Amino acid sequence: FPNTWVVVADSDEFHSFHVQDSKAPEVTIPGTSEKSLDIISVLAEARKRGKSILAGTFVDRVALNCSLAPILQDPCIWNQFPKKSNITREILDGSTSKILVHTANVRTTKGHHAVGHYKKVEPLFWWSSGFEVNHFKWTPSVIPKLERRVKVLKELGKAWYIQSERFLTFYHEHGKVCVADATPP
């Protein structure tokens, strides 16, 4: 089934789709006033455009007060973490380009930030800053996870511990997770 769509999302990621020139209907994200285009319609439009990879922007979602707030049963997660931030880019110095959806014949790299082993892939891409991977990682549990990650990766001699170490240093220095370019809800 090479033309079957694969939605790529980690357990702390939720996709939203915003494209001005799209004919896809808007839907309201349950429990919020936030809108997103209907994914089924977006995928149908992508197929009409001859695209098999939808890529966009990684958006870190944080609590209004910039704390590492726990996830609660209520209100919905979008209302608990209403601020958009660029922790990944500004603190971790990581990539904020992300593949959200692709057809089954496409292989992505680890982390789904790029396409692996593809020649002439550019025409297959539909990239939009309005395609967002909303990242709800920044809760109290992130500190011990990142501390363990730094320890293990250093022991293994893996250089990518540096991003986790950057965040821990920033958080211990500032006591919050917002960076200058966080936008209000």
Side-chain angles (χ1 to χ4, degrees):
F1 303 103
N3 292 319
T4 301
W5 289 106
V6 177
V7 178
V8 182
D10 292 345
S11 61
D12 60 0
E13 298 173 352
F14 295 93
H15 299 336
S16 58
F17 300 89
H18 314 276
V19 182
Q20 288 187 345
D21 66 341
S22 176
K23 295 178 180 26
E26 270 194 339
V27 295
T28 302
I29 297 170
T32 74
S33 60
E34 290 206 33
K35 304 280 187 190
S36 176
L37 297 177
D38 171 64
I39 188 171
I40 302 299
S41 300
V42 169
L43 296 178
E45 188 171 335
R47 197 170 305 284
K48 283 181 192 170
R49 292 181 181 209
K51 306 300 181 184
S52 56
I53 303 162
L54 278 64
T57 305
F58 200 63
V59 178
D60 295 296
R61 300 295 291 240
V62 299
L64 196 56
N65 65 2
C66 300
S67 70
L68 292 177
I71 298 173
L72 306 172
Q73 186 76 24
D74 288 310
C76 76
I77 197 166
W78 298 87
N79 293 335
Q80 291 178 58
F81 300 91
K83 278 193 169 198
K84 293 181 177 183
S85 186
N86 283 312
I87 294 167
T88 301
R89 185 185 70 219
E90 298 299 323
I91 298 172
L92 306 183
D93 195 26
S95 172
T96 56
S97 291
K98 189 88 170 189
I99 295 172
L100 290 78
V101 185
H102 60 81
T103 52
N105 63 332
V106 172
R107 297 291 172 257
T108 62
T109 59
K110 185 177 181 181
H112 313 290
H113 293 282
V115 174
H117 311 297
Y118 243 73
K119 294 178 183 171
K120 299 181 182 177
V121 74
E122 201 61 39
L124 303 175
F125 266 90
W126 183 10
W127 189 92
S128 171
S129 61
F131 294 160
E132 294 180 338
V133 176
N134 295 277
H135 191 217
F136 295 90
K137 176 179 185 168
W138 310 106
T139 66
S141 66
V142 77
I143 298 297
K145 286 178 186 174
L146 294 181
E147 288 171 341
R148 272 192 312 276
R149 180 183 291 165
V150 167
K151 182 179 184 286
V152 169
L153 292 176
K154 276 185 173 180
E155 288 172 1
L156 294 172
K158 304 292 184 184
W160 58 86
Y161 75 88
I162 294 169
Q163 287 186 339
S164 299
E165 195 170 70
R166 283 184 188 128
F167 177 80
L168 292 168
T169 299
F170 180 91
Y171 184 73
H172 292 308
E173 287 176 4
H174 300 279
K176 62 179 188 167
V177 294
C178 289
V179 292
D181 64 347
T183 57

